[in-house]
Amino acid sequence: MDIARIAVHDSVAAACPPEGVAESLRGLDRAVEVVGDDASFDARDCVVTFSPRDAFLDAAWVHGVRAGYDAFDVAAYEAAGTALTNSTGIHGDTVPETVVGFMTAFARRIHVYRDRQREREWRQEPYDAAFTLSGERVCVVGLGTIGRGVAERADALGMDVVGVRRSADPVDGVERVYAPDDLHTAAADARFVVLCCPLTEETEGLVDGALLAEMRSDAYLVNVARGPVVDEDAFLDALDADEIAGAALDAHWEEPLPSDHSLWDRESVLVTPHVAAATNRYHEDVAALVRENVERVARGDPLTNRVA
């Protein structure tokens, strides 16, 4: 592979300014430009993109600016001989910080008071509504970069941390690691169940009616993974039946979340528009990954974060 041009596709704007990514890549002794859907590509191009396009299969290498790559047809990239890399590893601070914010809001009732501020309503929550994170159990489902970041911060806050992943290897800050088959056991005693896993055939619908029924009635679900990891109908039914206390959702079944969706009107649910990873340095973080891989290509080393 010989990379002569880095084309930053304008779809990157969904995550960060394409011009910022391009500017951060200058100085690599490669042509760098922002391109649109009218661009063409060849075997000496690297394309940096938010979402896939058929034309990208003509490039040598495509880099997705998200950690997830479920939108990309991995088999098609393999068949075309086009390398595909993702941006896993750069969300170890941003997303975990968002998760801590969600948990703190629920524990300290911040979301409720923010709503009342808008109505200029001076009214306290019931005495038993607020609680402290310290001493509460959190179950982190998926212990990759994001999950480990959540675990480390939760442990520092004095929480009892358990996790779920395929490997039983110990993880710093995690008291016990459960296998996926033991998810129900891991989640049953948790005040918070935090989803940090990728969307795969195995994880689609992972949070179903049976799991929600196993959760504590005062438990909260936090989804910073992908919407389809949660069975939508089962989740809404659980909220209606007060089987769980509430949820924070940064990932949704349909994005944007339809304006008439019932979640918008639920005080017990925090809705954010898939921004858990947002930071004003995101363009620099993405560019650093691309820069590292350009240099690896020049040395003849394998690409980091290669998924196809």
Side-chain angles (χ1 to χ4, degrees):
M1 186 187 303
D2 180 20
I3 300 300
R5 180 180 69 147
I6 303 173
V8 182
H9 190 260
D10 56 17
S11 65
V12 166
C16 58
E19 297 80 6
V21 176
E23 186 60 33
S24 296
L25 288 169
R26 306 214 188 271
L28 276 173
D29 195 27
R30 306 288 193 286
V32 179
E33 60 180 312
V34 177
V35 302
D37 283 343
D38 58 345
S40 59
F41 308 96
D42 62 35
R44 299 188 69 196
D45 285 332
C46 165
V47 183
V48 181
T49 186
F50 181 85
S51 53
R53 300 288 190 275
D54 290 343
F56 296 167
L57 294 173
D58 294 330
W61 159 35
V62 173
H63 179 81
V65 300
R66 295 177 283 176
Y69 54 91
D70 45 281
F72 292 81
D73 185 344
V74 173
Y77 279 80
E78 291 175 343
T82 300
L84 176 65
T85 57
N86 68 347
S87 292
T88 189
I90 67 173
H91 309 98
D93 290 328
T94 52
V95 179
E97 287 178 1
T98 301
V99 170
V100 170
F102 286 148
M103 295 193 297
T104 303
F106 286 131
R108 310 307 306 148
R109 314 305 294 160
I110 296 170
H111 61 304
V112 176
Y113 293 124
R114 177 64 184 186
D115 288 348
R116 291 177 185 169
Q117 175 185 342
R118 188 175 297 109
E119 301 300 323
R120 304 190 179 194
E121 181 181 359
W122 185 278
R123 178 164 60 91
Q124 295 182 358
E125 281 282 85
Y127 175 78
D128 59 355
F131 59 96
T132 62
L133 294 179
S134 178
E136 294 288 351
R137 171 166 288 195
V138 56
C139 174
V140 184
V141 183
L143 289 169
T145 301
I146 293 172
R148 290 196 302 272
V150 171
E152 290 170 2
R153 286 161 176 78
D155 180 58
L157 289 168
M159 301 183 75
D160 174 24
V161 186
V162 299
V164 178
R165 72 168 180 174
R166 293 176 189 157
S167 169
D169 294 341
V171 176
D172 288 344
V174 181
E175 180 179 321
R176 180 173 178 182
V177 177
Y178 290 84
D181 288 345
D182 295 322
L183 171 61
H184 285 223
T185 301
D189 294 327
R191 191 64 180 268
F192 296 96
V193 176
V194 182
L195 306 177
C196 304
C197 53
L199 176 61
T200 65
E201 290 183 0
E202 291 75 22
T203 63
E204 185 171 358
L206 182 71
V207 178
D208 56 12
L211 179 62
L212 290 161
E214 289 281 349
M215 290 172 58
R216 292 165 45 171
S217 60
D218 62 352
Y220 295 89
L221 181 70
V222 178
N223 188 5
V224 290
R226 288 291 185 270
V229 172
V230 179
D231 182 305
E232 182 177 13
D233 290 338
F235 170 70
L236 295 175
D237 288 345
L239 287 175
D240 289 337
D242 294 324
E243 290 183 351
I244 60 174
L249 307 178
D250 187 59
H252 308 275
W253 306 275
E254 181 181 352
E255 296 183 359
L257 187 68
S259 61
D260 60 351
H261 201 287
S262 65
L263 287 178
W264 290 112
D265 298 320
R266 294 179 185 262
E267 182 184 80
S268 64
V269 178
L270 292 173
V271 173
T272 54
H274 211 142
V275 292
T279 171
N280 59 1
R281 300 199 313 268
Y282 199 81
H283 65 288
E284 297 176 3
D285 295 337
V286 168
L289 274 177
V290 176
R291 179 181 293 272
E292 176 189 351
N293 269 337
V294 169
E295 293 170 349
R296 292 180 70 86
V297 167
R299 295 194 303 267
D301 294 336
L303 292 168
T304 297
N305 287 0
R306 184 164 185 169
V307 295

